[in-house]
Amino acid sequence: MKKLPGKFGTIAALLLVAGVVLIALGFFADKQRAFFNYIIMYSFIVSIAVGSLGIVALEFMTDAQWSTPFRRISEFLSFGIPFLLLLAIPIVFGIHDLYHWSHKEAVEADPILQGKAPYLDEGFFIIRLFAMIVLWLIFYILIIRNSEKQDETKDYKLLTRNVKISIGFAPVLMISLTITAIDLIMSLEPHWFSTIFGVYYFAGSAVAALSAMVFLSVSLKENGYLASELTDKQFHSMSTLLFGMNVFWAYIAFSQFLLIWYADIPEETFWLEHRMHGSWGVVSLALLFIHFVIPFLILLPGRMKENRLTLKTMAIWLLFAHFLDLYWLVMPNLNKESAFFSWNEIGSLLFIAGFFMLVFKFKADRTNLTPIGDPKIEQAIGLHLHPDISID
Amino acid sequence: MLKKLKEKFVEIDGDLRLEERSNEIYGVTAVFETPDSVIEAAKKVEDYGYAKWDVNTPFPIHGMDDAMKLKPTKLGYATFTFGTIGALSALAMIAYMSGFDYKNIIGGKPFFALPPSIPITFELTILLAALFTIIFTLVVFNKLPKINHPLMETEYMRRVSSEAFGIFISAEDKKFNPDEVIGMLKSLGSNSVNLVYKFATDEDKIKTPIFKPAFLGILAGTAVLTAIITYVVLNYAIYTVPFDWMTNQPKLNPQKMSTLFADGFGMRTPVEGTVARGFKPYESYGKPDSLIRIISNPMPFTKEVFELGKKKYDTYCSPCHGNYGKGDSRLNGQFPNPPTLHSDKVRNWKDANIYHIIVNGQNIMPSYAKQINENERWAIVHYIRALQRSQNALDSDIPVDGNKK
């Protein structure tokens, strides 16, 4: 098994350091803005780390064969979960800068916030923040340990055990991501609510996690790290899933928009109102085209789903689209009047890239890039898949 | 009738089977047992350079496209075209309907707006893309309405539709040579290689059942019937008044206004001087005592009359006058007690005086004319007389024989 070049780690470390420096400078320049950027960055890392674990669980749950050769890529990315415990700490110190509901005098003057006070409580918020990470961590350890142990023991039972754990993880994932989305992002505007918001964040996370997996799969395959028997067919399946998830995101985003637009109730519309006018309106339109329309048209033809250059480009494109999506969700709460972007926002991008590259490198140096012990791998790598062969 | 129908269907069935074959070869079929063996065989057939051949399997086999060296399908372009037509026609439809034809203000929204149109556009895109791709494929590639094919009704087709995998090489292929093809397929590992012959009648001349007059007649009849029913239902049936189980009747209801007369009353006032059947008016009604016309009690002295009198007296009179007419009311002083009925004055009254007071009332006592009818009044008078005599009995009233009453 080929090891990743040392250069990869160096670049990752440089990116990470540059990111940390920029974020630190951002805190000195404008503390509140830095915290808002931090929320974007934290949500993005949760998207990829937890979303990747979701993809791993999805493979086990659906007994999918085609994705088995790529499973390790998502497993490595989900190694970001343990570091969330560290990354969540700055949020605790930023509650007062971020969240209007954390100011006691504001709550006392506001009957709506008083009604939400039992949930939007500082202590309870911090408990939820870390409880979610602990939940993810438990399932991360359970699933990944079984998966890695199988490389050596080739024990068939580990697979069936992981299927059961994954089924248990599915509702936990949905509920925990909903709570994360409501706590971190939706409560930035505590008067506003949308019942579909959790699904919206989940759909975006699925797109981002899949994009990361697609990008790394194609890159690793091109550089000869993955089995040479893998054909365009597997990449076709992978990009179909990415394409489908992106349409799902658009479906959910539109569902949220349509209901607010149709009902036209002031307590809901004000959130979209300032996002639809001025420079935020441009960002909203850009989000529609960058996150949905352009990737949809590019990935629609079957041949495009097998073209590796297109796939790589669209994967990186969609990762940026998810960043834009989070930026669009978070930043209008800081300044409703106009959109803004400068070096303060770039720090988190660099940090995210460096962080996941390092996480990936760390795991790739210690673990097989292909789950060689998985009984499904032989059929997955074979040229053609027979529907009559199944594992149960 | 049934027999005729049966004959018809048997006839159609006979046409469908097309069992008669000519001596002309249509092609060669070969059956393989496993997906792997058919893929390997397909690769070899492709290598031999045959052009008009196909593989028949019960389910799609991954890798078959590569083995047969098929070009990527162009069906996607057709689907995309139909999908685009669906999206555009949906938008055009909504724009025309809500923007021009039937403008309706809904929640202050613009007549035509993009957001509410998107779900319908989405649905029509999917519908047209899916439906027309299928119809297009069926008509262009399956040549619908032709529903027969020389490979049908063969052992080969029966097997490759369920459990085996087959290769068919057409006789139209330029390289086709029956002996050579059979030998090649056998060498590829097939243990069941067969020749397939063309139909005896020319394929294009066989009438497919859907062009039979009977079927077309039934189809047209159904269409006309459906149209008539739809027309009648939409234009007449939905406007008929539903049966209300007679809950709504043109009658007078108690405590309700009547629209029949101008004054709103349902009952009419009788003409002045009207006398109800079986009712004899009392001449001195409402007149002072002095004007009483002395009449005698018409009721006989019978046990029934006295019992009637007692019953009515106990009901209407005793609450105030007391059970024995002593003026000891049961009302415990809530009303002023009436005088006793055993006074000399009352005992010396004529029966008509008592009758008159029952009808007209006296002092605080109201009229009982409405509660007590004529005969009952006289019966009460008898009973009062009996009460009076019971309280002021003479010696002569005591029977000589003490046992008699």
Side-chain angles (χ1 to χ4, degrees):
Chain A
M1 200 55 73
K2 256 166 88 176
K3 292 277 177 224
L4 287 173
K7 208 170 66 179
F8 186 85
T10 320
I11 294 169
L14 282 175
L15 281 172
L16 190 78
V17 169
V20 170
V21 169
L22 272 176
I23 290 167
L25 281 174
F27 271 100
F28 285 115
D30 185 343
K31 194 174 149 210
Q32 203 185 12
R33 184 170 167 180
F35 271 124
F36 273 78
N37 272 314
Y38 196 83
I39 283 290
I40 297 179
M41 188 186 87
Y42 182 78
S43 315
F44 197 99
I45 291 174
V46 169
S47 286
I48 300 218
V50 182
S52 295
L53 190 60
I55 291 169
V56 174
L58 187 67
E59 190 204 300
F60 285 120
M61 269 187 285
T62 55
D63 209 357
Q65 289 175 16
W66 67 269
S67 63
T68 310
F70 312 105
R71 198 180 72 218
R72 276 289 146 80
I73 293 162
S74 291
E75 285 184 14
F76 293 174
L77 288 174
S78 63
F79 183 52
I81 291 175
F83 299 98
L84 289 176
L85 282 171
L86 281 174
L87 290 169
I89 291 169
I91 297 174
V92 176
F93 296 104
I95 289 180
H96 288 289
D97 285 307
L98 287 163
Y99 299 109
H100 178 60
W101 52 260
S102 66
H103 300 281
K104 286 224 165 60
E105 66 282 358
V107 175
E108 273 162 20
D110 195 333
I112 293 175
L113 291 189
Q114 276 167 26
K116 297 184 179 186
Y119 185 82
L120 293 178
D121 172 77
E122 246 177 90
F124 192 24
F125 175 87
I126 294 164
I127 291 170
R128 286 198 303 270
L129 182 64
F130 286 97
M132 294 307 121
I133 303 171
V134 170
L135 265 180
W136 297 328
L137 200 55
I138 290 168
F139 279 99
Y140 169 78
I141 292 167
L142 286 174
I143 293 175
I144 304 299
R145 197 185 52 188
N146 280 343
S147 170
E148 284 175 4
K149 206 195 280 174
Q150 203 174 34
D151 276 9
E152 287 149 27
T153 60
K154 301 200 193 308
D155 188 0
Y156 186 84
K157 272 182 192 157
L158 290 169
L159 183 66
T160 48
R161 203 174 297 159
N162 255 358
V163 169
K164 282 173 193 159
I165 297 169
S166 298
I167 290 167
F169 181 54
V172 172
L173 175 74
M174 294 297 159
I175 294 165
S176 61
L177 277 183
T178 303
I179 290 173
T180 306
I182 290 172
D183 282 5
L184 292 180
I185 304 171
M186 203 168 97
S187 79
L188 287 168
E189 180 51 86
H191 291 101
W192 186 75
F193 57 90
S194 162
T195 45
I196 208 170
F197 197 81
V199 190
Y200 180 80
Y201 177 67
F202 161 76
S205 302
V207 171
L210 273 169
S211 299
M213 174 193 163
V214 169
F215 176 74
L216 286 168
S217 308
V218 177
S219 308
L220 291 170
K221 168 75 179 141
E222 279 182 345
N223 292 309
Y225 288 94
L226 294 179
S228 55
E229 291 90 345
L230 293 177
T231 61
D232 289 346
K233 296 293 165 209
Q234 275 97 346
F235 289 101
H236 187 278
S237 305
M238 191 191 286
S239 48
T240 307
L241 189 61
L242 176 62
F243 177 77
M245 266 299 164
N246 197 37
V247 175
F248 177 67
W249 174 87
Y251 181 86
I252 296 300
F254 178 71
S255 301
Q256 176 170 291
F257 170 75
L258 181 69
L259 292 195
I260 295 173
W261 184 88
Y262 235 133
D264 210 7
I265 302 167
E267 62 192 39
E268 288 174 351
T269 46
F270 76 95
W271 190 85
L272 275 176
E273 213 271 333
H274 54 257
R275 280 174 172 79
M276 280 170 76
H277 297 106
S279 49
W280 282 121
V282 179
V283 176
S284 302
L285 265 184
L287 182 66
L288 169 67
F289 278 89
I290 290 174
H291 207 315
F292 175 62
V293 178
I294 295 170
F296 177 82
L297 291 176
I298 289 180
L299 285 176
L300 187 60
R303 256 171 274 178
M304 285 301 214
K305 292 195 182 78
E306 289 168 16
N307 185 319
R308 293 187 188 166
L309 182 65
T310 321
L311 262 184
K312 248 163 69 169
T313 321
M314 285 332 287
I316 286 290
W317 177 287
L318 282 171
L319 281 169
F320 274 105
H322 184 56
F323 187 82
L324 180 67
D325 184 16
L326 290 172
Y327 172 77
W328 178 80
L329 287 174
V330 170
M331 279 308 183
N333 296 307
L334 182 61
N335 182 354
K336 290 182 172 44
E337 304 309 319
S338 60
F340 50 88
F341 193 87
S342 122
W343 61 269
N344 308 53
E345 278 72 38
I346 290 173
S348 43
L349 271 176
L350 298 179
F351 184 88
I352 292 162
F355 174 75
F356 278 110
M357 279 167 83
L358 272 186
V359 160
F360 191 84
K361 170 95 167 92
F362 180 86
K363 286 296 270 186
D365 287 347
R366 286 158 183 79
T367 325
N368 286 318
L369 248 172
T370 309
I372 48 172
D374 196 308
K376 290 186 290 186
I377 196 77
E378 273 177 38
Q379 287 123 31
I381 285 185
L383 199 64
H384 42 81
L385 309 167
H386 303 318
D388 53 338
I389 301 164
S390 67
I391 299 165
D392 24 32
Chain B
M1 176 75 186
L2 198 71
K3 209 177 167 191
K4 264 188 179 173
L5 262 176
K6 230 177 186 174
E7 276 169 14
K8 268 242 146 58
F9 276 107
V10 168
E11 192 190 303
I12 292 168
D13 202 45
D15 270 1
L16 274 173
R17 289 191 170 276
L18 302 160
E19 272 159 354
E20 273 179 59
R21 304 263 178 173
S22 68
N23 292 325
E24 211 177 331
I25 294 170
Y26 182 71
V28 178
T29 60
V31 175
F32 296 85
E33 300 299 330
T34 63
D36 285 325
S37 59
V38 82
I39 279 196
E40 290 309 313
K43 276 182 195 163
K44 295 272 168 54
V45 174
E46 171 63 31
D47 289 345
Y48 277 114
Y50 289 100
K52 300 212 165 185
W53 64 289
D54 207 350
V55 177
N56 302 96
T57 56
F59 53 78
I61 297 175
H62 285 264
M64 186 54 84
D65 288 8
D66 294 336
M68 292 173 75
K69 295 211 171 73
L70 294 177
K71 283 174 194 158
T73 173
K74 289 189 177 66
L75 198 61
Y77 294 105
T79 311
F80 181 74
T81 312
F82 292 129
T84 313
I85 292 171
L88 293 177
S89 53
L91 278 177
M93 178 182 80
I94 300 159
Y96 171 71
M97 289 194 310
S98 52
F100 298 98
D101 190 39
Y102 199 83
K103 289 183 183 176
N104 217 344
I105 297 173
I106 301 163
K109 301 285 191 296
F111 290 123
F112 171 72
L114 202 55
S117 316
I118 283 181
I120 300 157
T121 310
F122 170 75
E123 304 292 351
L124 247 89
T125 308
I126 304 294
L127 180 75
L128 260 74
L131 201 62
F132 278 87
T133 305
I134 291 168
I135 293 172
F136 173 80
T137 320
L138 286 177
V139 172
V140 173
F141 297 111
N142 290 4
K143 297 189 176 67
L144 205 76
K146 195 157 86 178
I147 54 166
N148 51 34
H149 191 276
L151 282 184
M152 295 290 182
E153 296 299 322
T154 57
E155 177 68 11
Y156 168 77
M157 190 47 76
R158 193 189 62 71
R159 286 195 65 193
V160 299
S161 310
S162 60
E163 38 83 27
F165 309 86
I167 289 179
F168 164 75
I169 298 175
S170 169
E172 285 170 27
D173 197 293
K174 278 175 193 162
K175 285 184 72 180
F176 188 81
N177 176 334
D179 300 331
E180 206 177 281
V181 168
I182 290 170
M184 177 201 72
L185 288 171
K186 276 189 175 155
S187 73
L188 291 177
S190 170
N191 47 16
S192 166
V193 180
N194 287 305
L195 280 168
V196 178
Y197 294 95
K198 285 188 179 172
F199 294 123
T201 26
D202 191 353
E203 264 183 80
D204 299 328
K205 283 178 188 162
I206 297 171
K207 242 188 186 176
T208 48
I210 64 166
F211 288 129
K212 281 185 179 274
F215 179 76
L216 288 177
I218 290 169
L219 204 65
T222 314
V224 170
L225 193 69
T226 314
I228 291 171
I229 290 171
T230 311
Y231 180 81
V232 170
V233 165
L234 290 181
N235 287 285
Y236 299 100
I238 59 170
Y239 298 119
T240 53
V241 180
F243 185 56
D244 58 4
W245 303 100
M246 291 191 180
T247 51
N248 194 11
Q249 296 177 6
K251 68 173 185 190
L252 294 174
N253 289 311
Q255 313 292 338
K256 290 275 151 65
M257 283 273 286
S258 168
T259 51
L260 202 59
F261 298 107
D263 60 0
F265 285 100
M267 292 291 280
R268 297 290 85 197
T269 319
V271 179
E272 211 174 313
T274 307
V275 174
R277 202 175 269 270
F279 175 79
K280 200 165 125 200
Y282 178 55
E283 289 170 10
S284 308
Y285 183 73
K287 291 177 182 167
D289 296 12
S290 54
L291 291 174
I292 297 167
R293 202 177 129 248
I294 303 301
I295 42 171
S296 58
N297 193 336
M299 294 298 277
F301 292 97
T302 62
K303 197 186 172 192
E304 286 75 30
V305 170
F306 277 100
E307 278 176 351
L308 177 68
K310 175 177 163 46
K311 189 182 171 196
K312 292 294 164 184
Y313 179 88
D314 287 348
T315 306
Y316 293 108
C317 313
S318 69
C320 295
H321 289 283
N323 288 342
Y324 302 104
K326 285 179 179 169
D328 49 347
S329 132
R330 296 203 302 270
L331 297 171
N332 295 328
Q334 291 179 53
F335 276 98
N337 285 357
T340 173
L341 294 176
H342 304 297
S343 62
D344 287 347
K345 177 184 144 196
V346 179
R347 281 166 62 202
N348 292 331
W349 269 353
K350 300 283 180 203
D351 285 356
N353 277 80
I354 300 174
Y355 182 91
H356 182 83
I357 287 165
I358 293 173
V359 175
N360 281 323
Q362 179 181 283
N363 301 332
I364 196 172
M365 175 176 164
S367 161
Y368 279 81
K370 288 203 172 76
Q371 291 94 322
I372 309 169
N373 71 27
E374 200 188 340
N375 287 350
E376 288 162 359
R377 291 171 207 154
W378 287 122
I380 289 171
V381 173
H382 273 330
Y383 184 66
I384 291 172
R385 288 292 180 219
L387 284 178
Q388 286 171 344
R389 196 165 168 188
S390 73
Q391 296 302 311
N392 295 287
L394 299 172
D395 288 347
S396 60
D397 290 334
I398 301 166
V400 179
D401 183 350
N403 291 331
K404 279 191 178 171
K405 279 188 181 173

